[in-house]
């Protein structure tokens, strides 16, 4: 007799995983290579960790026993230096098991009825919201948000820039003015932009400016900016003490601390000479090929330009004016844009999202056949 009752969330697993399985099956059946541009993974190069890990003492006590619940103090200090120019405080930073965990913690802790997402959004936002009982609002473009302030007040807005799935980058100055207006008007802004730091490093002062805005919460990840999605590590930055205190409690009781190896590797990447060099080389190779691939798509007339009227296609994703099936015919994996929207499915089905973080030569080899 089955006695278990389940609290069903209504959320679903990602279709992107199923596409990956389908590509593997096709490769097994045909013996031919399929290009997995359906994934959100930087694949130009792997970050080279060999020199970095050589300097780590894996027998050290701090790597073998429970880490502090909020993260290693040294890593929180290093993040304050790297992302906030030393102007925030380690106490404003909580180490999480990746960006997904950071988002989930924030969404389970914030008392808001609605979170407004861009019209084309990363599906996991919606699934976490479903699990945590938060309703979804929608905005068409960032320029629309100012006019929506009266109805957004007391609720939250999500900003992802460069975005997933479009890979669109908005102008920093204009975006900051908008985020300030929202925060000043009592709208919580969830700034989840894990692709931003692929394209810049500690010279970037944007987070220092965002940090001044009391209603802004930043969720970040080392999955994209240093290519370590396997390590499951990211962080939350906020300045509201009450929010931070509750987040820290929840973080403790869902993780009991974040993997110490992962924390140590990231600490080395941010602070040691070998680590900084490895990050620089990874970002240089990655951003070079992303730019080459986007230019190639533009020149070939394959980029869906209509999505980039108020923004710039930056990556790691872009949208092309071919369908998922048309690309699959050329052994290119992608995800139909229809998968990323609730209100524009019909129009979006004519387009596909691809990851452009792929070696340029390989990318061209597959796309040259697409007419
Ligand atoms: C927009 C966005 N935010 C957050 C994440 C979370 O990444 P992770 O959980 O690997 O840190 C992703 C991953 O694909 C993403 O696309």
């Amino acid at each position: 007799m089955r006695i278990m009752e389940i609290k069903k969330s209504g959320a679903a697993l990602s279709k992107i995983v199923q596409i990956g399985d389908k590509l593997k099956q096709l490769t097994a059946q045909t013996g031919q290579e399929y290009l997995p541009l359906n994934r959100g993974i930087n694949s130009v190069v792997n970050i080279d960790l060999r020199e970095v890990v050589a300097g780590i003492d894996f027998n050290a006590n701090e790597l073998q026993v429970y880490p502090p619940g909020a993260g290693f103090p040294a890593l929180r200090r290093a993040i304050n230096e790297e992302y906030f120019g030393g102007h925030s405080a380690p106490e404003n930073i909580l180490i999480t098991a990746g960006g997904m965990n950071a988002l989930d913690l924030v969404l389970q802790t914030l008392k808001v009825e609605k979170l407004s997402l861009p019209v084309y959004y990363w599906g996991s936002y919606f699934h976490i919201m479903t699990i945590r009982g938060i309703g979804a609002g929608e905005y068409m473009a960032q320029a629309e948000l100012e006019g929506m302030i009266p109805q957004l007040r007391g609720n939250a807005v999500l900003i992802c820039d460069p975005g997933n799935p479009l890979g669109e980058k908005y102008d920093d100055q204009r975006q900051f003015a908008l985020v300030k207006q929202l925060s000043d008007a009592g709208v919580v802004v969830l700034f989840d932009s894990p692709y931003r730091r692929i394209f810049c490093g500690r010279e970037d002062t944007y987070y220092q400016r965002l940090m001044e805005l009391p209603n802004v919460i930043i969720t970040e990840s080392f999955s994209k900016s240093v290519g370590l999605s396997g390590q499951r590590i990211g962080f939350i930055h906020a300045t509201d003490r009450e929010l931070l205190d509750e987040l820290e409690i929840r973080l403790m009781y869902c993780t009991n601390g974040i993997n110490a190896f992962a924390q140590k590797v990231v600490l080395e990447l941010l602070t040691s000479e070998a680590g900084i060099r490895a990050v620089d080389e990874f970002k240089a190779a990655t951003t070079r090929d992303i730019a080459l691939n986007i230019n190639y798509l533009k020149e070939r007339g394959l980029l869906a330009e209509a999505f980039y009227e108020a923004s710039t296609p930056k990556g790691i994703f872009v949208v092309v004016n071919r369908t998922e099936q048309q690309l699959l015919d050329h052994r290119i994996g992608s995800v139909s844009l229809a998968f990323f929207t609730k209100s524009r499915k019909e129009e979006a089905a004519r387009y596909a999202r691809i990851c452009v973080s792929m070696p340029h030569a390989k990318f061209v080899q597959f796309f040259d056949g697409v007419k």
Side-chain angles (χ1 to χ4, degrees):
M1 187 179 62
R2 185 168 180 276
I3 54 158
M4 265 188 283
E5 286 194 43
I6 311 290
K7 290 191 262 181
K8 288 212 174 141
S9 63
L13 289 174
S14 168
K15 190 185 160 221
I16 301 176
V17 178
Q18 293 164 26
I19 296 172
D21 291 343
K22 185 166 141 190
L23 294 185
K24 278 189 204 122
Q25 252 180 20
L26 285 167
T27 303
Q29 281 166 10
T30 63
Q32 287 190 301
E33 186 184 9
Y34 280 72
L35 198 63
L37 303 188
N38 48 300
R39 306 181 304 174
I41 297 175
N42 282 309
S43 306
V44 177
V45 290
N46 278 348
I47 188 161
D48 189 345
L49 293 179
R50 280 171 297 186
E51 241 191 285
V52 180
V53 296
I56 297 177
D57 176 10
F58 288 96
N59 281 335
N61 219 27
E62 70 160 358
L63 287 196
Q64 297 203 354
V65 304
Y66 289 114
F72 283 151
L75 180 57
R76 297 165 81 193
R77 283 196 298 274
I79 290 172
N80 181 32
E81 293 300 326
E82 176 80 18
Y83 287 78
F84 300 93
H87 297 297
S88 188
E91 297 72 40
N92 294 342
I93 294 160
L94 298 171
I95 309 301
T96 64
M100 187 88 95
N101 180 220
L103 283 160
D104 180 48
L105 282 162
V106 170
L107 291 175
Q108 64 175 271
T109 306
L110 265 185
K111 211 188 259 180
V112 289
E113 275 175 23
K114 239 178 26 178
L115 173 66
S116 291
L117 301 175
V119 63
Y120 297 104
Y121 61 87
W122 180 49
S124 299
Y125 293 138
F126 189 78
H127 294 306
I128 301 173
M129 287 156 65
T130 304
I131 294 169
R132 297 300 178 187
I134 295 180
E138 180 179 86
Y139 62 91
M140 291 303 298
Q142 287 194 4
E144 221 182 55
L145 284 169
E146 188 182 347
M148 291 168 67
I149 285 177
Q151 78 232 47
L152 293 172
R153 203 169 268 128
N155 277 306
V157 166
L158 186 125
I159 302 260
C160 179
D161 176 76
N164 176 5
L166 302 183
E168 83 284 35
K169 175 82 195 76
Y170 282 92
D171 174 69
D172 273 353
Q173 304 311 328
R174 244 179 294 161
Q175 180 174 260
F176 180 79
L178 170 70
V179 174
K180 182 169 183 344
Q181 260 183 319
L182 290 165
S183 174
D184 289 350
V187 180
V188 176
V189 177
L190 235 176
F191 194 84
D192 178 62
S193 301
Y195 301 99
R196 180 181 177 91
R197 282 268 169 157
I198 301 169
F199 302 95
C200 54
R202 67 168 56 202
E203 77 288 350
D204 177 34
T205 56
Y206 200 63
Y207 281 1
Q208 290 178 46
R209 300 180 69 198
L210 288 181
M211 163 194 109
E212 301 293 333
L213 307 175
N215 292 316
V216 174
I217 303 165
I218 296 170
T219 49
E220 254 291 357
S221 167
F222 296 99
S223 293
K224 319 293 177 175
S225 59
V226 298
L228 289 180
S229 56
Q231 299 312 307
R232 311 309 311 131
I233 180 158
F235 68 87
I236 301 171
H237 179 277
T239 50
D240 186 290
R241 202 63 252 163
E242 232 178 291
L243 171 67
L244 283 161
D245 287 348
E246 181 61 26
L247 284 171
E248 187 171 344
I249 291 166
R250 290 176 185 240
L251 178 60
M252 181 67 198
Y253 293 112
C254 76
T255 63
N256 216 358
I258 302 302
N259 186 303
F261 290 167
Q263 291 197 63
K264 183 67 176 168
V265 170
V266 170
L267 177 61
E268 291 298 307
L269 289 178
L270 300 185
T271 56
S272 75
E273 220 176 278
I276 292 167
R277 191 165 53 243
V279 170
D280 287 349
E281 285 170 8
F282 170 80
K283 287 186 182 178
T286 300
T287 55
R288 181 197 60 220
D289 280 25
I290 287 176
L292 288 170
N293 291 338
I294 295 177
N295 265 340
Y296 168 85
L297 291 170
K298 273 190 199 158
E299 281 169 12
R300 291 278 330 275
L302 293 167
L303 188 74
E305 303 272 0
F307 293 96
Y308 307 101
E309 273 163 11
S311 61
T312 313
K314 180 103 182 167
I316 69 170
F317 303 106
V318 296
V319 171
V320 291
N321 50 24
R322 293 292 187 278
T323 64
E324 185 182 309
Q325 185 57 48
Q326 284 170 332
L327 294 177
L328 194 59
D329 293 344
H330 294 276
R331 292 187 284 114
I332 298 168
S334 68
V335 186
S336 171
L337 189 61
F339 172 72
F340 299 97
T341 181
K342 290 243 177 299
S343 64
R344 294 269 167 137
K345 279 197 182 300
E346 209 175 309
E347 184 196 341
R350 309 202 319 258
Y351 303 95
R353 183 200 79 169
I354 58 167
C355 178
V356 284
S357 187
M358 189 47 81
H360 183 56
K362 178 141 253 178
F363 191 86
V364 169
Q365 179 197 326
F366 278 78
F367 271 93
D368 267 354
V370 179
K371 296 298 171 223

